[in-house]
Amino acid sequence: MNKTENTTRKSRKSFLKQTLMAGSGLGLGSVFASGLNTLKASDRTGEKPRAGQNGRWEASACLGCTSWCSVQVYVQDGRATRVRGNPNSKVNGENICVRGHMGLQQVYDPDRLKTPMKRTNPDKGRGVDPGFVPITWEEAIDTIAEKIMELRRNEETHKFMVTRGRYTYLRDILYDRFPKIIGSPNNISHSAICAEAEKFGPYYTEGIWAYRQYDVRNARYVLCWGADPIATNRQVSHYNNAWGEVLSRAKVATVEPRLSATAAKSDEWLPVKPGEDGALAVAMAHVILTRGLWYRPFVGDFKDGKNRFRTGRTVNENTFEEIYTHGLVRWWNLELKDRTPEWAAGKAGVPADQIERVAIDFARAAPQAICWVGGGPTMQVRGAYNSMATHALNGLVGSVDNKGGTLASNPEYSQGFPSVEPYLDDIARKGIAKPKIDQRGYLEYPALKGGSSGGGVVTNRTADGILDGDPYDIKMIIAYFNNFAFSNPGSNRWEKAMEKIPFNVHITTHVAEYSMFCDIILPATHHMFERHGFMKSIGNAHRQLPLNRPVIDRVWDSKTDETEVTWLIAEKLAEKGFPNMLDHYKQYRDPETGAEPKNEKEFDLYALKHATRDLWDPDHYKGGDRFDGWDDFYKTGVWNSEPYNYRGRWGSMNTRTRKFEFFSETLKEALTGHAERHDTDVDTVLATSNYLARGDLAFVPHYEEPFVHGEDRENSFMLVDYKSRLNREGRSANCSWYHEMKDIDPGCIAGEDVAQLNPEDADRLGLRDGDKIRLHSSAGELECRLVRWEGVRPGTIVKPFGMGHWAYGRYATRVNGKQPLGGNNNQVMPADYDRLSGSSAFYGYVKVNVDKV
């Protein structure tokens, strides 16, 4: 490379990095050349992109993370060349984060799966060449349908399974209706490796098992717990755009073992010991109560106005009169009275004066004070109670459902699909009555979503169910939009489980690790550019439903997983004598004409029109944006709700008491129900599920000693896993930009898979920058490069998730299908769970040993 070329390359990379870091609003559209494979620096970085004479902006939606932003794609000569936020959106507006732009590299990636393929090598295993050869869609669909018919003939339909990762809200066609009509209970989602423990606290205090939104534009204090809003949180486009305004008006504090992007922009960084978040949370609650700083219009007060909360002293419950909360004094007596900042400092490694200062400042900002709970404190082995303890602070300061606080979702008016009941035969009804393969609802896996024993999924436990044949063997899987052999802790278990499956199908854009164990792989359309669907997203005190739209011709011979593939299988099943599924899908009629679908393309469109009819049909209008009809809605690409109704849930929360529960009667009922299901008591449930609480302590937010895998050694460190701002749900690794610009994450370097260690720890082990190191635990090992960085808490080692693919494409791997590039964090994370929620543990629960290679 000559000097001119090298200077140009550095200039281009520097410019792109500045653009990405500058915020969502600038966008990359202004720097695209007409070709998709080249970028050039502009002398006028603030200039908006100028549309060519043959170009147009087309609406769609991004599924690069769970922000689910409404976007517009600029299409020139049939090719997508730019992406921006949709100005019609009231959630993310014209803002789009870096991951949205990376979709352009994905859709035109030459390593995408181009045509259906089948396995010719019957042997399965890592490193085994599947011998994939191209086949027609007709052969692929016929083979799949015949395998389903074989299960039905043998009355083994319960041994069929659908697994789902990311999705659109057409998901129930494939994820729900499809297995039910076949006769299987096994629809297994990715949810428990995403955010189920994060939802546990809000559900068992205020009755919301869902994502929340945060009214940052009106907040005066934002306290983040293991959340990184400007880099990787839900609705990152909106929060990234609003963060400058937040910093000019509010204080921000971040509880996180590493100096995250948000921590670097905070007034206070509390570098907590991994796993000890609960100690900080209950200590802050102690400070708020002893200082008399709770928000009385929401919580209530002592009847005589005299504060009786004193360290170490119990309080008579009859002396306090609550308004919109339940059980505050019982919480104090059971848990908080002795939880001083000094006690928490010894546990969490954060100074007592900082704990007290943050608690006081946070409470004084009430009710415009946000306690923002992410995965860090919750997706731990005992994370359910961390989830409750951190979220309970929102109740103390009255920010729940309040202006400048934490909000639920605004109402939306999509509708479900026709009932499946008339299309279930005796074989199907018998099959769906079987227990699910993920062992949810077992004594040791309560998975208490929605208050029900076994109400939630235990995603990662599915591998063990398959390996153990418990409760039965699985003979066939159809997987879509997931790569469970890479994305689950203890990932080697999934590889072994996939070896055992007789017939496995993967619908995917890229041949990934999971694909390598499959018998048929089917090329999927790209969500932002080539398919129909719709999403549901919240933020900025609004809800939006953006449409996924095919804005370009399909690059390869791909089909849409949730609609087209399912229709084609249904047609083939009907040819083979089982018409029930096709008959059901024919009920998804065009709302405008009443016509039933005749092929997969019509089914795809009619299903979308049916599900969204109450948004676009003037005769069915229920609220939010108004449209003149389908064409108007389709062109606009997004529906927005009415503004948020602050305090609308006060006194009518979905809990047993209808109030915010500091003593959770809702959790008491759920745990009691699970115990009765197994003919035992709640204490036994907790002991079996690896929690420490007994008696009434189980029903209040409280501190639990973190459960940690691994031993204390000179070279052992707590692993801190996090997601890069360039990580599109783990599917970015074959984008060259992902590697070129990894150093936009604090402490990272471009082009390398790194782990970050505090210089004090590195000096003790004699490690220098760039040294090749091995991380190993009881689960496995990986290799990467070392970066010495002061933004890492001593005693911890920090590594971003996303690298370590051994199958995915030329950029993602060192040798595609054989040799990984870097290391997958899940190789060194043992499979463990927060069992009350079903969530996999990812944070603050494993020590890894570090050796120089």
Side-chain angles (χ1 to χ4, degrees):
M1 179 182 293
N2 61 42
K3 182 176 181 180
T4 302
E5 289 174 331
N6 187 49
T7 301
T8 301
R9 182 177 182 274
K10 288 182 178 179
S11 174
R12 176 171 71 89
K13 179 183 175 185
S14 176
F15 169 75
L16 284 172
K17 191 184 303 178
Q18 291 170 11
T19 304
L20 291 171
M21 295 181 72
S24 306
L26 291 179
L28 279 178
S30 58
V31 299
F32 271 99
S34 58
L36 262 293
N37 295 323
T38 29
L39 291 169
K40 62 179 180 180
S42 167
D43 294 329
R44 296 172 292 180
T45 59
E47 184 181 29
K48 291 184 178 295
R50 291 180 292 178
Q53 293 181 348
N54 60 343
R56 67 190 186 279
W57 287 105
E58 296 283 356
S60 192
C62 179
L63 276 64
C65 71
T66 47
S67 293
W68 298 327
C69 290
S70 177
V71 302
Q72 289 182 334
V73 179
Y74 196 66
V75 181
Q76 293 176 281
D77 298 324
R79 292 177 66 85
T81 61
R82 303 166 186 157
V83 178
R84 70 181 183 189
N86 188 337
N88 297 302
S89 164
K90 294 180 181 178
V91 175
N92 64 284
E94 294 187 3
N95 310 300
I96 187 69
C97 82
V98 298
R99 290 184 288 271
H101 302 293
M102 294 176 71
L104 292 163
Q105 284 203 329
Q106 288 182 317
V107 69
Y108 293 112
D109 186 350
D111 291 335
R112 277 183 65 183
L113 179 61
K114 301 174 178 61
T115 189
M117 308 280 281
K118 73 175 180 181
R119 185 183 205 93
T120 60
N121 185 353
D123 296 331
K124 295 181 179 180
R126 184 165 180 168
V128 175
D129 183 357
F132 285 132
V133 296
I135 57 174
T136 65
W137 274 98
E138 171 68 21
E139 181 181 349
I141 297 298
D142 184 75
T143 303
I144 294 168
E146 183 55 36
K147 291 295 182 180
I148 292 172
M149 292 301 296
E150 182 179 322
L151 292 175
R152 287 188 55 81
R153 286 192 293 268
N154 295 331
E155 296 194 14
E156 293 182 307
T157 56
H158 58 288
K159 298 182 179 182
F160 170 81
M161 179 165 66
V162 170
T163 63
R164 183 197 80 196
R166 191 53 60 227
Y167 52 84
T168 79
Y169 277 89
L170 299 181
R171 61 188 183 184
D172 282 354
I173 297 170
L174 174 53
Y175 181 68
D176 179 79
R177 282 12 182 217
F178 190 89
K180 280 182 179 175
I181 294 173
I182 291 170
S184 174
N186 289 311
N187 50 347
I188 305 296
S189 80
H190 75 295
S191 299
I193 60 171
C194 183
E196 295 306 272
E198 181 182 325
K199 300 172 186 175
F200 187 92
Y203 184 82
Y204 286 105
T205 53
E206 60 169 308
I208 298 176
W209 192 285
Y211 300 139
R212 292 151 314 286
Q213 57 179 318
Y214 304 94
D215 192 15
V216 296
R217 293 196 185 278
N218 294 305
R220 296 194 300 127
Y221 203 107
V222 180
L223 175 57
C224 296
W225 297 80
D228 197 0
I230 64 174
T232 60
N233 207 85
R234 294 167 194 86
Q235 210 34 254
V236 64
S237 298
H238 163 60
Y239 296 125
N240 201 354
N241 180 64
W243 212 250
E245 179 187 343
V246 173
L247 293 174
S248 69
R249 183 193 59 256
K251 281 190 175 182
V252 179
T254 297
V255 181
E256 182 76 70
R258 70 182 180 96
L259 189 67
S260 64
T262 300
K265 297 287 186 181
S266 297
D267 299 277
E268 301 261 10
W269 175 37
L270 293 78
V272 64
K273 288 182 181 178
E276 296 285 359
D277 309 80
L280 287 182
V282 295
M284 288 183 185
H286 177 97
V287 171
I288 291 169
L289 292 177
T290 55
R291 293 294 190 104
L293 295 174
W294 68 90
Y295 187 65
R296 285 161 176 80
F298 182 71
V299 178
D301 201 357
F302 287 98
K303 294 175 182 178
D304 61 3
K306 181 181 179 180
N307 185 8
R308 290 173 172 77
F309 293 123
R310 296 286 184 268
T311 299
R313 298 183 184 178
T314 59
V315 174
N316 186 333
E317 292 184 45
N318 293 326
T319 62
F320 198 98
E321 187 171 356
E322 293 183 81
I323 304 175
Y324 295 110
T325 66
H326 171 78
L328 175 66
V329 175
R330 294 184 74 184
W331 182 28
W332 169 266
N333 290 337
L334 286 165
E335 171 66 10
L336 299 182
K337 60 181 174 52
D338 299 314
R339 301 309 196 192
T340 64
E342 291 74 20
W343 166 84
K347 296 288 186 179
V350 175
D353 60 344
Q354 187 180 30
I355 298 171
E356 187 161 10
R357 180 176 63 250
V358 169
I360 292 170
D361 289 349
F362 173 73
R364 284 176 175 167
Q368 294 167 289
I370 293 171
C371 188
W372 193 320
V373 183
T378 63
M379 298 185 77
Q380 301 176 8
V381 174
R382 294 167 179 154
Y385 289 112
N386 282 347
S387 185
M388 292 182 72
T390 48
H391 186 68
L393 295 175
N394 289 308
L396 280 182
V397 300
S399 65
V400 176
D401 214 42
N402 211 347
K403 187 174 183 179
T406 66
L407 311 180
S409 297
N410 307 57
E412 56 88 11
Y413 308 108
S414 61
Q415 63 176 337
F417 296 113
S419 173
V420 74
E421 285 297 318
Y423 305 94
L424 301 179
D425 61 12
D426 290 342
I427 292 175
R429 293 182 190 279
K430 181 180 178 182
I432 61 178
K434 299 282 189 179
K436 291 179 181 282
I437 191 65
D438 65 341
Q439 303 176 354
R440 69 184 76 180
Y442 280 25
L443 175 61
E444 64 271 36
Y445 295 102
L448 298 176
K449 177 181 179 180
S452 299
S453 172
V457 65
V458 192
T459 308
N460 200 17
R461 191 64 191 172
T462 302
D464 301 277
I466 293 171
L467 288 168
D468 299 339
D470 180 9
Y472 42 74
D473 289 323
I474 292 293
K475 291 190 173 182
M476 179 178 178
I477 301 176
I478 294 180
Y480 82 100
F481 224 147
N482 70 59
N483 186 17
F484 284 172
F486 182 85
S487 58
N488 279 279
S491 53
N492 62 305
R493 297 157 39 261
W494 277 92
E495 294 180 5
K496 295 297 182 184
M498 293 305 97
E499 292 179 21
K500 187 179 176 183
I501 302 299
F503 189 76
N504 205 346
V505 179
H506 199 195
I507 313 173
T508 180
T509 56
H510 290 71
V511 177
E513 284 80 5
Y514 189 97
S515 314
M516 301 298 283
F517 298 90
C518 289
D519 300 274
I520 286 183
I521 47 177
L522 302 176
T525 50
H526 192 280
H527 60 85
M528 195 179 350
F529 307 99
E530 299 178 319
R531 65 168 293 163
H532 280 127
F534 74 101
M535 301 308 302
K536 301 177 184 180
S537 179
I538 50 175
N540 200 26
H542 282 84
R543 188 163 196 165
Q544 67 176 6
L545 273 69
L547 293 177
N548 303 87
R549 292 179 47 208
V551 298
I552 62 172
D553 292 335
R554 295 177 183 180
V555 179
W556 308 113
D557 187 17
S558 59
K559 296 189 185 298
T560 299
D561 38 36
E562 292 170 332
T563 52
E564 294 176 339
V565 173
T566 52
W567 174 274
L568 291 173
I569 295 173
E571 281 189 324
K572 191 60 67 173
L573 289 172
E575 290 178 13
K576 295 177 180 291
F578 180 60
N580 299 39
M581 189 177 295
L582 185 62
D583 289 344
H584 170 70
Y585 289 155
K586 285 180 178 181
Q587 304 310 306
Y588 296 39
R589 299 174 183 270
D590 184 347
E592 291 186 294
T593 67
E596 70 176 31
K598 297 185 294 292
N599 54 53
E600 74 272 20
K601 298 291 185 184
E602 290 184 352
F603 177 62
D604 176 65
L605 180 61
Y606 295 173
L608 177 60
K609 293 176 73 173
H610 169 90
T612 59
R613 182 177 188 174
D614 290 346
L615 309 181
W616 56 263
D617 188 336
D619 294 335
H620 287 242
Y621 178 77
K622 295 183 177 179
D625 288 349
R626 288 181 179 269
F627 298 97
D628 292 333
W630 170 252
D631 291 341
D632 185 22
F633 175 50
Y634 193 73
K635 181 179 180 180
T636 304
V638 61
W639 171 91
N640 300 283
S641 72
E642 303 288 353
Y644 197 82
N645 178 28
Y646 295 113
R647 301 193 179 190
R649 298 179 60 249
W650 284 22
S652 61
M653 294 182 177
N654 187 32
T655 59
R656 286 281 296 164
T657 62
R658 309 295 287 169
K659 296 181 178 184
F660 189 98
E661 295 183 343
F662 295 118
F663 183 94
S664 182
E665 305 288 354
T666 308
L667 179 56
K668 183 176 182 178
E669 181 181 57
L671 277 171
T672 301
H674 182 71
E676 290 175 348
R677 177 181 178 181
H678 294 282
D679 195 25
T680 188
D681 56 36
V682 170
D683 283 355
T684 300
V685 169
L686 293 170
T688 306
S689 302
N690 203 8
Y691 298 93
L692 302 177
R694 301 292 183 268
D696 281 352
L697 187 63
F699 313 128
V700 298
H702 67 270
Y703 170 76
E704 295 241 342
E705 193 81 30
F707 183 89
V708 178
H709 289 264
E711 300 176 355
D712 288 327
R713 297 180 182 178
E714 183 182 10
N715 67 334
S716 67
F717 299 89
M718 290 293 293
L719 177 64
V720 177
D721 167 272
Y722 75 95
K723 307 302 183 288
S724 166
R725 66 172 61 189
L726 293 177
N727 191 353
R728 285 178 56 92
E729 293 282 331
R731 292 178 281 272
S732 309
N734 209 50
C735 297
S736 62
W737 296 341
Y738 176 78
H739 302 274
E740 289 180 27
M741 293 174 281
K742 282 181 92 262
D743 52 347
I744 69 170
D745 289 315
C748 278
I749 59 176
E752 289 281 359
D753 186 28
V754 303
Q756 302 151 347
L757 201 61
N758 189 282
E760 293 181 6
D761 292 327
D763 286 342
R764 181 165 50 83
L765 298 182
L767 296 174
R768 299 177 297 179
D769 269 331
D771 279 350
K772 192 173 184 179
I773 57 174
R774 179 180 296 110
L775 278 58
H776 54 102
S777 70
S778 60
E781 63 180 42
L782 62 83
E783 293 184 357
C784 60
R785 295 286 179 182
L786 175 73
V787 169
R788 297 160 56 101
W789 188 44
E790 293 82 358
V792 178
R793 179 187 172 85
T796 68
I797 187 163
V798 173
K799 187 175 183 300
F801 169 78
M803 298 283 281
H805 281 281
W806 56 271
Y808 210 78
R810 69 193 70 184
Y811 292 109
T813 64
R814 196 171 301 279
V815 180
N816 194 21
K818 295 182 179 179
Q819 188 176 354
L821 178 63
N824 177 8
N825 294 8
N826 286 318
Q827 293 174 231
V828 297
M829 292 182 177
D832 210 338
Y833 309 86
D834 171 65
R835 299 174 188 221
L836 289 183
S837 67
S839 174
S840 282
F842 281 91
Y843 310 115
Y845 80 107
V846 59
K847 288 190 174 184
V848 297
N849 299 315
V850 179
D851 295 310
K852 184 176 179 179
V853 176

